[in-house]
Amino acid sequence: MTTGIAPVYWTSVGGPLGPLLLTAAPDGALTSLSVEGQKGGRTVQDGWRHDPGPFRAAGEQLAAYFAGELKEFRLELRAEGTEFRERVWAALDTVPYGATTTYGEIAARIGASRMAVRAVGGAIGANPLLILRPCHRVIGADGSLTGYAGGLERKIRLLGLEGVRC
């Protein structure tokens, strides 16, 4: 008997931020990257299939990123959210390595009003693909390091790795 629900594949890879939990769809597209203690992060569920195979490229690219050798990930990402969240996440993908942007600038990029900045912040906070989709590069309008689902200490480490002075 089949349930019609596609299996979730998962693995854990080490890194300077602690263990990273990666999940993927059956076709290998990455669906999440979570860190321990992450607000809204994923945890392994019953029925998930542990298989490091679909994650080889992700593991190699993450290792190169943490070693300072990779500035842009080339992986198939598939995060599902509302149309608004997906627009915000696509805007995150345009923020280059070593640069920062603000919530207001992200709102402007997607054509949202200044009133939507709080909703943009919520969408960024719900990003299921930490590190790969660089929400750590979003800062407050005054230059302050605002919240990060993975914790501010990790945000500071990621920005420092990319050469951003915090």
Side-chain angles (χ1 to χ4, degrees):
M1 182 173 95
T2 61
T3 62
I5 298 173
V8 173
Y9 294 89
W10 72 275
T11 199
S12 181
V13 297
L17 303 180
L20 306 175
L21 173 66
L22 294 122
T23 63
D27 66 0
L30 296 175
T31 55
S32 73
L33 185 157
S34 301
V35 296
E36 282 187 345
Q38 174 184 332
K39 179 182 172 188
R42 296 186 88 176
T43 57
V44 177
Q45 304 294 310
D46 288 340
W48 285 12
R49 297 181 185 174
H50 182 254
D51 181 359
F55 303 98
R56 282 194 184 90
E60 290 168 1
Q61 289 185 38
L62 284 162
Y65 170 78
F66 289 128
E69 301 165 355
L70 181 77
K71 294 183 172 35
E72 185 177 328
F73 293 102
R74 288 183 169 75
L75 299 165
E76 184 178 351
L77 307 178
R78 184 178 307 131
E80 294 183 10
T82 65
E83 187 265 334
F84 179 81
R85 283 184 174 181
E86 289 181 6
R87 285 186 11 235
V88 170
W89 298 338
L92 287 175
D93 290 340
T94 69
V95 181
Y97 180 96
T100 59
T101 191
T102 67
Y103 297 92
E105 290 168 349
I106 294 288
R109 284 184 196 185
I110 67 166
S113 72
R114 296 285 303 161
M115 301 294 288
V117 169
R118 184 166 274 202
V120 166
I124 291 170
N127 171 24
L129 288 155
L130 291 191
I131 306 165
L132 303 174
R133 183 157 278 147
C135 54
H136 59 276
R137 297 178 187 153
V138 182
I139 61 174
D142 63 358
S144 63
L145 296 179
T146 54
Y148 182 62
L152 280 179
E153 183 177 302
R154 287 185 177 117
K155 182 174 189 162
I156 291 166
R157 289 191 69 184
L158 290 167
L159 290 173
L161 173 75
E162 294 184 11
V164 175
R165 295 177 79 68
C166 302

